[in-house]
Amino acid sequence: LKPAVHALFKKLKDEELELLVQVVESRGAWESGCVLAPRGDPRGVKQGLPPQVLLCRLFRWPDLHQSHELKHLCYCAGGQGACGDLAGLCCNPHHFSRLAVPETPPPPYLKASCEHENQGMEPAVTPSRRKRLRQGMRGSCWGSLCSPLPGTSLSWSTIKDGCWCKLAYWEYRTRVGRLYAVHEASVNVFCELPWGSGFCLAQLPAAYRSCAVRRARGKIGRGLLLSQEPGGVWAYNRSEHPIFVSSPTLSPPGACGLTVLKVLPGYSAKVFDYQWAGDRGGWQLPGEGPCDPHSIRISFAKGWGPCYSRQFITSCPCWLEV
């Protein structure tokens, strides 16, 4: 990659190079601006890789091959549809994540949707449903698109408070701290995040914490980024350890088992799909009873479910309910 990198660096302005140095040295610990590379492939370079693929491969993922394996993070100007208006293409390696995929092949009817996501395309949405989704993005949750079940814990209160989600932090079966309401389009959930803001789990006190909980909390680090984007909610793993996610829209309709998706460090996953959620009824978890059909559960560093020794998320030392 050396000739291609040198050819790219020669085309970057001094301020772009300085920003790139800061981003790489901090390993994306703070939300930086875009590093803009001139449009067009470098001349005389055999690899011919796009700038964002070149720098992501150099500084983050040596096994990266194609641009469709990457996803713009929500705070990148290029990911907000403004890339065509910018003077160049963003190649900040920490403005991208890789796309997480299930460990087992999805059912056949999901393949087309997965391919669309990899190409950055949205699934087809009817005009009436698109209008309701836009209303939901303005803070009224999902409106009549998918009404909450009677007795669910958070959905109605979330609609009433005008936020798009609320966060609850759990240690085993005990909830720690108050609910955290999210009004911005994205939120960081972390224990250690310099120059950042959001839901800091390190500030939540508890009367007693076991050794297992303290070890798990030590692995949260920079945690994750939750973002509400067109069509659904995405989770980006900013920590150095995997996170594990379950959601009603990750499981095939009518499935008896529970789907738990493992999201590796530096990867993103679409953890809630508004269109699929509109076709769901109640969410019945084996061994745990009914669950809010609009909820997401995320465990830090420890997996659960049929493929793990922990069968239920309440057996995980640190987890988040969204």
Side-chain angles (χ1 to χ4, degrees):
L1 298 180
K2 188 174 180 179
V5 170
H6 282 192
L8 175 59
F9 285 172
K10 288 179 180 179
K11 295 188 176 184
L12 295 181
K13 298 179 180 179
D14 290 345
E15 54 268 28
E16 306 289 344
L17 288 171
E18 180 62 29
L19 176 59
L20 182 61
V21 169
Q22 296 175 8
V23 168
V24 172
E25 289 182 345
S26 69
R27 294 185 300 166
W30 48 281
E31 294 182 6
S32 56
C34 291
V35 177
L36 298 180
R39 295 179 180 275
D41 294 329
R43 298 293 181 181
V45 178
K46 293 182 179 180
Q47 284 84 354
L49 294 174
Q52 70 272 25
V53 175
L54 183 62
L55 294 190
C56 285
R57 186 170 173 179
L58 177 65
F59 294 116
R60 300 193 69 184
W61 304 292
D63 61 338
L64 182 68
H65 296 291
Q66 302 292 335
S67 59
H68 66 76
E69 300 175 46
L70 297 173
K71 177 191 178 297
H72 279 279
L73 295 177
C74 59
Y75 45 78
C76 177
Q80 301 298 322
C83 197
D85 301 330
L86 298 177
L89 296 171
C90 178
C91 60
N92 185 333
H94 288 278
H95 274 200
F96 295 88
S97 68
R98 297 189 73 171
L99 287 169
V101 295
E103 296 179 351
T104 55
Y109 74 93
L110 290 180
K111 286 184 178 179
S113 177
C114 293
E115 290 172 358
H116 286 318
E117 288 181 15
N118 288 342
Q119 297 172 5
M121 299 172 60
E122 294 183 27
V125 182
T126 62
S128 60
R129 176 160 289 181
R130 187 177 298 277
K131 180 180 179 181
R132 284 181 287 177
L133 288 179
R134 287 172 178 166
Q135 292 173 348
M137 295 291 281
R138 289 197 294 266
S140 62
C141 286
W142 300 280
S144 60
L145 180 59
C146 47
S147 301
L149 293 178
T152 54
S153 57
L154 301 178
S155 298
W156 285 119
S157 63
T158 303
I159 295 173
K160 180 179 66 176
D161 295 343
C163 53
W164 67 270
C165 78
K166 290 184 178 180
L167 309 179
Y169 171 64
W170 295 75
E171 294 175 356
Y172 291 116
R173 291 181 175 271
T174 303
R175 202 183 85 193
V176 180
R178 298 181 178 181
L179 294 178
Y180 184 92
V182 180
H183 298 271
E184 302 295 330
S186 63
V187 60
N188 288 302
V189 184
F190 59 94
C191 270
E192 302 172 4
L193 183 61
W195 310 299
S197 62
F199 188 24
C200 181
L201 304 180
Q203 296 180 353
L204 301 180
Y208 169 78
R209 284 193 170 104
S210 66
C211 294
V213 171
R214 290 197 295 268
R215 284 196 301 268
R217 282 172 62 88
K219 295 180 179 179
I220 295 175
R222 297 173 185 170
L224 59 96
L225 173 71
L226 282 173
S227 58
Q228 187 188 43
E229 303 180 28
V233 178
W234 286 81
Y236 168 51
N237 185 0
R238 302 189 68 179
S239 74
E240 297 180 356
H241 299 271
I243 60 174
F244 299 83
V245 185
S246 71
S247 161
T249 63
L250 289 176
S251 301
C256 298
L258 175 68
T259 299
V260 178
L261 178 64
K262 181 179 181 180
V263 183
L264 295 174
Y267 280 67
S268 287
K270 191 176 186 179
V271 295
F272 195 88
D273 188 299
Y274 293 144
Q275 185 177 15
W276 291 1
D279 300 327
R280 300 300 171 107
W283 190 20
Q284 184 78 19
L285 298 180
E288 296 188 42
C291 183
D292 189 333
H294 301 153
S295 68
I296 306 164
R297 294 178 167 192
I298 303 173
S299 174
F300 296 98
K302 303 294 181 181
W304 84 98
C307 299
Y308 300 90
S309 59
R310 299 170 182 82
Q311 293 301 299
F312 313 118
I313 195 169
T314 49
S315 300
C316 295
C318 301
W319 57 282
L320 193 70
E321 186 178 17
V322 185

